[in-house]
Amino acid sequence: MNSIPETNFSELATLDWREKDFSYAQLKAHLPRPAVNSQTAAEAVGQIIEDVRARGMQALKDLALRFDHVELEHTRVAQAELDRALDELDPLVRRALEESISRAREFAGAQVPQDAVVGYSNGGSVTQRWVPVRRVGLYVPGGLAVYPSSVIMNTVPAQAAGVQSLALASPPQKEFGGLPHPTILAAAKLLGITEVHAMGGAQAVAAFAYGVDVPQDPRGGIEPVDVISGPGNVFVATAKRLVKGVVGIDAEAGPTEIAILADDSANPGFVAADMISQAEHDANAAAVLVTTSPHLAERVRVELVAQVAATKHTERVREALSGSQSAIILVNDIAQGIDVCNAYAAEHLEIMTADSEADAGRITAAGAIFVGDFAPVSLGDYCAGSNHVLPTSGTALHASGLNVNTFLKAIQVINYDKAALGDVAAHVINLANAEDLPAHGDAVAIRNAL
């Protein structure tokens, strides 16, 4: 075995919990998290939302000039631009997108729930019927990277759910003449999306939530949606929170995160590469290694020295890994490690242990679980067939990743005839009286008397 060099990635903190006996509440309190507070953006975002509601398209134009430094005549992207973007797309990228779409469609199609019907005596029945929402607004961020994969991940489950009206928004880019990035446009075209808007940030969320009326323009305005989905920065997340209730939202996405549960059997090069893969998103990205092995932890630090230096976004990665949200956590055994991972509730959780499948089965809180050495998070980001829009900031304790159900409503249908009502009439009347709501009982009694 090669000797361990003296130098390692010392910026990554170590939390030694081998002698700790934390309660669940203490464990959650000590977990590394990014210091991000969306409340600081609430006032500014609230003003943007009100501006869009009051001034419509003119506000969107003014905000595009202010934030994106582009002059727009209209947010709507012409169909010819979508066609051109796909025609000029790198064939290798097109084939990769098509494969990603195919796999995502297969998995999403398998998620579509069946209606449930229960029959009771004398002809009574209750049905739960699944109905797609009318219209969805899909948000795809700009920023430090280009995300055609997010176009796929947001669109495919909505289409599988049967949503008939889809609109996509992505920030206008000065370098592309005020249009969204051409790869975003090409992905939209591949998926059959015809309504694409060059708008970003909180203003895009406001436009989707409340609509924009432009009766004089042949391109029309922006019809309100029923659900908004898609990740974004703190301003997008705050805007989604502020319009929740007016529309449904998928989640308030925070900085991306990866947790890795590993023992001595793990490959330190793989662990380091996967931590870097998420750290390159932005300086607030979190990378947490939970391990029973101090030796593995040291080997990972050594790997990080070389791999961080070699990666394209070295400074961004280094800042993320040295932040308070990233750490190596040493635990006594896998059982303690599982407890830590369940409390952390990672967006992405990798299991690299000697018994990875069994250990993965003991995880009860994670956006997505990646099992074994050959299922890195980046596979799920692009081409596993799973969805990469996942709960962050510990919300996987109660929330799920984006899926077909995000875009469906369950409607209950009650069908009782006179005989079926008669079977339970006395129970309804007695319960109504017990709640001091006698008119509820009377509504049954008047029918039962016929």
Side-chain angles (χ1 to χ4, degrees):
M1 181 178 294
N2 294 333
S3 62
I4 297 175
E6 292 182 2
T7 57
N8 62 32
F9 198 87
S10 59
E11 295 96 324
L12 183 62
T14 294
L15 304 177
D16 191 343
W17 290 355
R18 287 174 292 181
E19 303 302 321
K20 302 293 185 182
D21 186 21
F22 290 136
S23 68
Y24 182 71
Q26 290 171 326
L27 185 56
K28 289 186 68 176
H30 285 84
L31 287 166
R33 296 289 187 193
V36 177
N37 183 4
S38 63
Q39 294 295 331
T40 59
E43 183 177 352
V45 169
Q47 291 174 353
I48 289 171
I49 291 172
E50 290 308 312
D51 189 23
V52 172
R53 293 186 69 183
R55 298 195 301 124
M57 188 61 67
Q58 188 57 53
L60 294 176
K61 293 178 184 179
D62 292 345
L63 291 165
L65 185 61
R66 174 182 169 189
F67 293 120
D68 305 303
H69 312 293
V70 299
E71 293 190 25
L72 297 178
E73 292 184 7
H74 197 284
T75 61
R76 185 72 178 260
V77 176
Q79 187 62 44
E81 297 293 348
L82 301 178
D83 295 339
R84 181 165 67 91
L86 184 57
D87 290 342
E88 296 178 358
L89 184 65
D90 181 335
L92 294 177
V93 176
R94 176 169 181 160
R95 285 198 290 274
L97 289 173
E98 288 171 339
E99 181 67 22
S100 180
I101 292 168
S102 175
R103 289 173 180 252
R105 281 184 169 152
E106 184 173 1
F107 186 51
Q111 298 170 19
V112 178
Q114 300 298 309
D115 292 352
V117 183
V118 174
Y120 297 97
S121 62
N122 284 328
S125 71
V126 178
T127 300
Q128 180 165 278
R129 184 161 54 92
W130 292 97
V131 179
V133 299
R134 177 189 57 88
R135 177 169 161 83
V136 170
L138 310 170
Y139 186 82
V140 179
L144 297 175
V146 183
Y147 295 105
S149 57
S150 286
V151 183
I152 297 170
M153 299 299 170
N154 282 276
T155 303
V156 167
Q159 291 176 330
V163 177
Q164 295 300 305
S165 178
L166 295 171
L168 185 146
S170 192
Q173 309 282 314
K174 186 175 183 180
E175 57 268 44
F176 299 111
L179 295 172
H181 194 284
T183 310
I184 300 297
L185 301 181
K189 175 67 177 178
L190 274 175
L191 287 157
I193 298 175
T194 59
E195 184 182 347
V196 178
H197 294 273
M199 58 184 184
Q203 58 269 30
V205 174
F208 277 155
Y210 294 102
V212 174
D213 189 21
V214 191
Q216 300 85 7
D217 195 311
R219 291 165 290 193
I222 303 170
E223 186 181 359
V225 304
D226 299 326
V227 171
I228 299 174
S229 73
N233 62 19
V234 65
F235 296 99
V236 172
T238 301
K240 288 168 72 177
R241 173 164 47 83
L242 293 179
V243 302
K244 184 179 180 180
V246 176
V247 294
I249 64 170
D250 55 344
E252 297 175 42
T256 191
E257 59 201 24
I258 180 175
I260 303 172
L261 177 63
D263 59 17
D264 259 329
S265 68
N267 183 313
F270 294 173
V271 173
D274 294 351
M275 294 176 77
I276 291 169
S277 73
Q278 294 307 297
E280 76 172 340
H281 275 280
D282 62 65
N284 288 316
V288 176
L289 169 61
V290 181
T291 182
T292 58
S293 172
H295 180 71
L296 174 71
E298 188 63 22
R299 294 299 302 175
V300 169
R301 290 183 182 280
V302 173
E303 286 286 343
L304 286 172
V305 171
Q307 293 192 34
V308 171
T311 197
K312 179 180 180 180
H313 303 296
T314 297
E315 292 309 312
R316 189 189 308 164
V317 169
R318 186 176 295 277
E319 188 173 355
L321 292 178
S322 61
S324 61
Q325 72 273 17
S326 298
I328 295 175
I329 301 176
L330 298 176
V331 293
N332 274 318
D333 50 33
I334 292 298
Q336 185 187 9
I338 289 172
D339 287 343
V340 171
C341 290
N342 281 331
Y344 186 70
E347 177 188 18
H348 311 99
L349 174 63
E350 293 186 353
I351 308 290
M352 296 188 193
T353 61
D355 198 1
S356 56
E357 287 193 31
D359 293 336
R362 296 162 66 190
I363 298 297
T364 57
I369 304 171
F370 300 81
V371 183
D373 284 352
F374 297 98
V377 167
S378 50
L379 172 66
D381 283 342
Y382 298 114
C383 226
S386 57
N387 201 293
H388 78 201
V389 182
L390 300 167
T392 61
S393 306
T395 57
L397 289 169
H398 55 78
S400 307
L402 194 71
N403 61 80
V404 169
N405 284 345
T406 306
F407 307 103
L408 290 170
K409 301 170 292 184
I411 299 177
Q412 297 180 12
V413 181
I414 297 87
N415 191 338
Y416 270 54
D417 61 17
K418 183 178 180 181
L421 177 61
D423 284 346
V424 293
H427 298 310
V428 174
I429 293 168
N430 290 334
L431 287 171
N433 290 334
E435 294 188 350
D436 194 25
L437 297 171
H440 281 60
D442 293 344
V444 170
I446 195 173
R447 290 169 168 79
N448 209 38
L450 291 176

